[in-house]
Amino acid sequence: CINISDRDNLKVNDTIIISKTGDDLIKNKANELLLKDNYNNSREIAYEWISALHHCLKNLNMNINSLRSDLKKYEIDIPLHTLRYWLFDNSIIGPKKIDTIDIIYNMSKNIYNWKYDISIIKKSIEIIRSYHLKAGFRVRKEFLSNIKDTINKIDVESFNSKDYYEIDTSEYGRIIFYKIINFDSDSIMIDSAFANHLFEDVL
């Protein structure tokens, strides 16, 4: 059983490829494209809202529940796991509702010295998100181009239900090829915040 976030276009006997690299391919490629287009400090600017939250947390003696309560007073009512994601997940770019940054600014401006204007921060978040989309297309194109010869050598037709083929690469880590034998009827729900992540497969 392999968890697949979008299987609308998949059918039985298709081949799927999963990269199990330790690096964040999308983020690395996005950084490369950002640098090329002279958006060198976009991430630093975009992450200002996270710096403000960390400062608020430190001001509350690192009590994350107190921070959540303070946010709730400002009408940001989020689950604890979402707040932990905002604070500690390196994949975070911006909150789902971009105007949340205005509220965080008003909540923290008396204890945190914001370096950038809110409008610039929001714009940087939009830029980074758009470059992550570009990076996704670029990685996919380069990835398939680089492993084309490998794909041609694999006898996918002979695969049974638990068969797979794997290779190790310097750029993409361990790559595993599977053949779609059948589909389970159960739907798999994945939060949109994790749409750019490659999920672990389960054998």
Side-chain angles (χ1 to χ4, degrees):
C1 176
I2 302 167
N3 292 337
I4 302 171
S5 61
D6 184 356
R7 63 188 189 194
D8 290 345
N9 296 318
L10 288 175
K11 56 186 181 296
V12 171
N13 292 326
D14 276 355
T15 304
I16 66 168
I17 305 165
I18 296 177
S19 173
K20 294 175 71 76
T21 178
D23 295 324
D24 189 331
L25 294 178
I26 302 294
K27 187 175 182 178
N28 291 345
K29 179 58 69 173
N31 285 342
E32 180 185 315
L33 297 174
L34 286 164
L35 184 63
K36 182 181 177 183
D37 292 343
N38 295 318
Y39 289 120
N40 307 35
N41 61 342
S42 289
R43 287 197 189 274
E44 177 189 333
I45 296 171
Y47 292 168
E48 176 96 39
W49 71 281
I50 303 175
S51 297
L53 276 180
H54 276 283
H55 198 87
C56 292
L57 181 62
K58 186 177 180 181
N59 196 54
L60 294 167
N61 296 315
M62 304 304 289
N63 189 322
I64 196 166
N65 287 305
S66 295
L67 178 58
R68 181 173 178 260
S69 296
D70 281 1
L71 287 167
K72 194 171 183 178
K73 291 175 187 176
Y74 282 83
E75 298 183 354
I76 303 178
D77 189 6
I78 56 172
L80 192 59
H81 68 81
T82 299
L83 181 54
R84 290 184 185 280
Y85 168 63
W86 284 3
L87 288 165
F88 306 118
D89 194 313
N90 291 330
S91 67
I92 186 69
I93 299 173
K96 199 169 187 179
K97 296 179 180 178
I98 196 70
D99 289 338
T100 299
I101 293 174
D102 296 270
I103 304 173
I104 292 171
Y105 172 79
N106 290 327
M107 186 186 85
S108 64
K109 62 183 179 181
N110 293 328
I111 60 172
Y112 177 75
N113 184 26
W114 288 69
K115 294 185 289 185
Y116 302 103
D117 185 84
I118 296 298
S119 61
I120 296 174
I121 294 171
K122 290 180 179 179
K123 182 63 178 176
S124 294
I125 288 172
E126 290 175 6
I127 289 170
I128 293 173
R129 282 175 170 162
S130 69
Y131 272 75
H132 272 238
L133 287 174
K134 291 179 183 177
F137 290 119
R138 185 72 64 86
V139 166
R140 181 180 181 277
K141 183 178 179 182
E142 292 176 357
F143 179 79
L144 292 175
S145 176
N146 290 340
I147 63 169
K148 188 176 180 180
D149 290 341
T150 302
I151 294 174
N152 291 334
K153 293 176 184 175
I154 300 173
D155 185 13
V156 178
E157 295 302 318
S158 66
F159 276 25
N160 292 312
S161 60
K162 292 187 178 181
D163 287 344
Y164 62 91
Y165 181 87
E166 68 177 273
I167 58 173
D168 283 306
T169 67
S170 58
E171 186 173 1
Y172 304 109
R174 187 159 60 104
I175 301 171
I176 308 175
F177 300 81
Y178 297 95
K179 178 181 178 181
I180 301 294
I181 302 295
N182 55 47
F183 289 106
D184 194 294
S185 59
D186 293 335
S187 296
I188 301 168
M189 302 303 294
I190 295 177
D191 191 293
S192 60
F194 301 100
N196 275 338
H197 292 216
L198 294 175
F199 282 84
E200 289 280 328
D201 58 291
V202 182
L203 284 177

